[in-house]
Amino acid sequence: MKKTFTMWAALLCIGCLRPDAMAQQRSLKLSKQFIQTNLNDAAKQIHYLESRIKESDIPTTYREGKHVNWGTSWWCSGFYPGTALYLYEATGDTRLLDIAESKLRYLEKEKNNTGTHDLGFMLFCSFGNALRLTGDSAAYQPVLATGAASLASRFGETTQAIRSWDGGKNWDGQPWSYPVIIDNMMNLEFLMQATKLTGISTYAAIAKAHANTTLKNHFRKDYSSYHVVDYNPADGSVLARKTAQGAFDESSWARGQAWALYGYTMMFRETKDKNYLKQARKIASFYLSHPNLPADLIPYWDMDQNKLTSDSPYYAQRDLHDASTASVVASALLELSLYTKGKEKMIYIAKAEKMLQSLSEAPYKAAYGSNGGYILKHSVGSIPHKTEVDVPLTYADYYYVEALVRYGRMLRGENVIKQ
């Protein structure tokens, strides 16, 4: 593999805020041994998982004793190779790089997929990390450049937002007009970095416009987020605020809050727009002070699950925890701590530490060779869709490993954000 230092890699490190390393290290409670042990255990699990699947499989979950592979066009397809790449970075085990590269060969064709808003998840988590770690610009830059153009094609000038889904209906049976989900905040990083890669300013402009539209329309007064906002494509007005994966339209679907927190923290890093930082801090406050947040900080799949009544179809599953949400929030809080000071900074670090501790032990962390080879147990995909309920999920593993890697950088006094 070619080992060249690329413009992409250089630009990604410029402008990242770096707190005083000594002060930062003094605030950390988890040990280097804790972090490295869990990273090593995660690497062993990925090796086990890989030994149980075909080379062409890009695993999504494991249920009823079987591996589930939903293919490269599924929104989760970038997480498994991305996890292997993070673990290669953390352990130096080149076999993990081989695993990732074998999957990228199958995933590459999705660079031309204009039918999804999730190309950031699919391509940036995978090819973006591959470029960062290998420096092979010839292999990976063209994929990322083409993928960014595909993602940008879904932006609407009238709505000033990237359309999430094509077709489908909401729960009252009405077809979506121009649905935008909070998850889409996570794909904006790809566009921000694509401007640095290609020099095409349109990508960053689209990301900022989408973030601004979402900030305006997706949030309640308490800074909780709706899952879906449906727009009128003719004039950009809001038609409806709904949910697809939450308990009810006015509930706070847990992972949606995580996407929002991570997305606005990242957008502040990329733009230095203080409105994004304010939003991230308000979202964090809502989430961390929520009265239904369990003591282990692994949330229920919906933060308003206690409001479900016995006639709800989700009542029997109301108390399921979602490890994937905690993984995303832990990683986001570590970054948010970089941009805050004093007591607030310490709270973010302490809460992320508690989440990592909880995720790194029973009942969430799987024993070697169990759980199909996935690292974490007890995640929830979509209870309303009756899919991926209380199972391992590839994105839970990805953000858990990312959070461990970020924390390890903090312990070493390094730049926490290397992308």
Side-chain angles (χ1 to χ4, degrees):
M1 176 60 67
K2 186 178 178 182
K3 303 285 185 179
T4 59
F5 187 79
T6 66
M7 180 189 302
W8 171 276
L11 286 169
L12 289 175
C13 292
I14 294 174
C16 294
L17 301 180
R18 300 186 67 179
D20 177 77
M22 293 286 290
Q24 176 175 280
Q25 287 174 305
R26 285 195 296 270
S27 68
L28 303 177
K29 305 302 182 186
L30 301 182
S31 68
K32 291 181 180 180
Q33 182 179 2
F34 173 89
I35 296 298
Q36 196 59 50
T37 295
N38 282 291
L39 286 168
N40 291 342
D41 288 349
K44 293 176 183 176
Q45 276 289 83
I46 293 301
H47 279 301
Y48 177 83
L49 197 164
E50 184 67 17
S51 73
R52 296 301 189 271
I53 60 176
K54 297 182 296 185
E55 183 189 51
S56 59
D57 288 347
I58 302 181
T60 302
T61 185
Y62 181 78
R63 61 173 181 245
E64 298 176 353
K66 296 180 180 179
H67 286 94
V68 178
N69 168 35
W70 284 19
T72 62
S73 63
W74 187 238
W75 73 277
C76 299
S77 57
F79 293 121
Y80 180 71
T83 300
L85 286 162
Y86 267 134
L87 290 171
Y88 161 64
E89 176 184 2
T91 66
D93 183 349
T94 57
R95 295 175 299 164
L96 291 161
L97 178 60
D98 293 339
I99 288 173
E101 290 177 333
S102 72
K103 305 304 178 184
L104 296 185
R105 288 193 287 271
Y106 296 96
L107 184 56
E108 180 178 349
K109 62 180 179 293
E110 300 305 328
K111 66 186 179 185
N112 298 310
N113 188 344
T114 59
T116 179
H117 66 288
D118 280 319
L119 291 175
F121 285 136
M122 296 160 69
L123 299 180
F124 190 67
C125 294
S126 54
F127 286 91
N129 273 315
L131 177 56
R132 176 178 65 86
L133 291 170
T134 70
D136 193 339
S137 57
Y140 301 130
Q141 284 190 11
V143 177
L144 291 162
T146 300
S150 295
L151 176 56
S153 73
R154 298 185 63 80
F155 180 74
E157 289 292 342
T158 302
T159 59
Q160 289 292 289
I162 299 168
R163 182 175 184 135
S164 293
W165 303 321
D166 297 330
K169 297 180 180 180
N170 63 25
W171 295 122
D172 59 17
Q174 297 300 310
W176 297 115
S177 295
Y178 195 104
V180 176
I181 61 177
I182 192 63
D183 319 39
N184 212 346
M185 284 298 301
M186 299 293 286
N187 294 295
L188 303 186
E189 184 172 15
F190 183 23
L191 293 176
M192 294 300 298
Q193 300 298 341
T195 284
K196 299 174 185 179
L197 170 66
T198 66
I200 300 173
S201 61
T202 303
Y203 297 143
I206 287 173
K208 294 172 190 176
H210 183 97
N212 292 339
T213 299
T214 301
L215 193 154
K216 178 182 177 182
N217 295 321
H218 251 84
F219 293 90
R220 305 180 182 95
K221 291 183 179 180
D222 63 1
Y223 293 92
S224 64
S225 173
Y226 288 94
H227 183 199
V228 191
V229 174
D230 197 23
Y231 293 91
N232 184 335
D235 61 13
S237 61
V238 172
L239 296 174
R241 292 177 173 89
K242 298 285 186 177
T243 192
Q245 292 171 253
F248 46 94
D249 287 338
E250 291 298 327
S251 73
S252 299
W253 174 53
R255 196 163 59 253
Q257 315 315 304
W259 295 145
L261 174 62
Y262 193 111
Y264 280 102
T265 301
M266 174 276 300
M267 285 300 292
F268 172 70
R269 179 224 307 159
E270 293 296 324
T271 67
K272 307 303 179 289
D273 185 331
K274 292 183 179 179
N275 289 322
Y276 298 151
L277 178 58
K278 177 183 176 182
Q279 191 73 6
R281 293 167 69 187
K282 293 291 188 180
I283 296 166
S285 177
F286 165 80
Y287 184 95
L288 294 174
S289 63
H290 199 285
N292 290 342
L293 190 62
D296 65 3
L297 302 190
I298 311 302
Y300 302 110
W301 64 280
D302 193 292
M303 303 189 82
D304 294 305
Q305 50 77 38
N306 62 313
K307 298 177 183 179
L308 290 172
T309 57
S310 58
D311 59 347
S312 167
Y314 319 133
Y315 184 74
Q317 298 164 309
R318 65 191 181 281
D319 291 339
L320 291 179
H321 293 249
D322 180 25
S324 74
T325 292
S327 296
V328 176
V329 171
S331 187
L333 288 175
L334 291 177
E335 177 169 6
L336 186 55
S337 75
L338 304 180
Y339 315 136
T340 52
K341 298 178 180 179
K343 182 178 179 181
E344 183 180 6
K345 177 189 184 74
M346 296 301 101
I347 288 173
Y348 295 151
I349 292 175
K351 296 297 185 180
E353 289 172 334
K354 177 60 177 177
M355 293 173 199
L356 286 175
Q357 287 176 312
S358 295
L359 291 170
S360 298
E361 60 189 22
Y364 302 105
K365 182 180 175 181
Y368 172 72
S370 68
N371 206 36
Y374 286 83
I375 302 163
L376 297 179
K377 301 189 290 185
H378 302 304
S379 288
V380 174
S382 178
I383 285 181
H385 292 92
K386 300 179 181 179
T387 59
E388 301 168 349
V389 177
D390 196 23
V391 294
L393 289 170
T394 183
Y395 47 93
D397 287 0
Y398 176 88
Y399 288 104
Y400 169 68
V401 170
E402 179 182 83
L404 289 172
V405 168
R406 286 181 169 184
Y407 197 93
R409 293 171 186 158
M410 293 174 75
L411 284 170
R412 296 189 294 273
E414 296 177 358
N415 190 342
V416 176
I417 307 303
K418 296 181 181 178
Q419 296 179 313

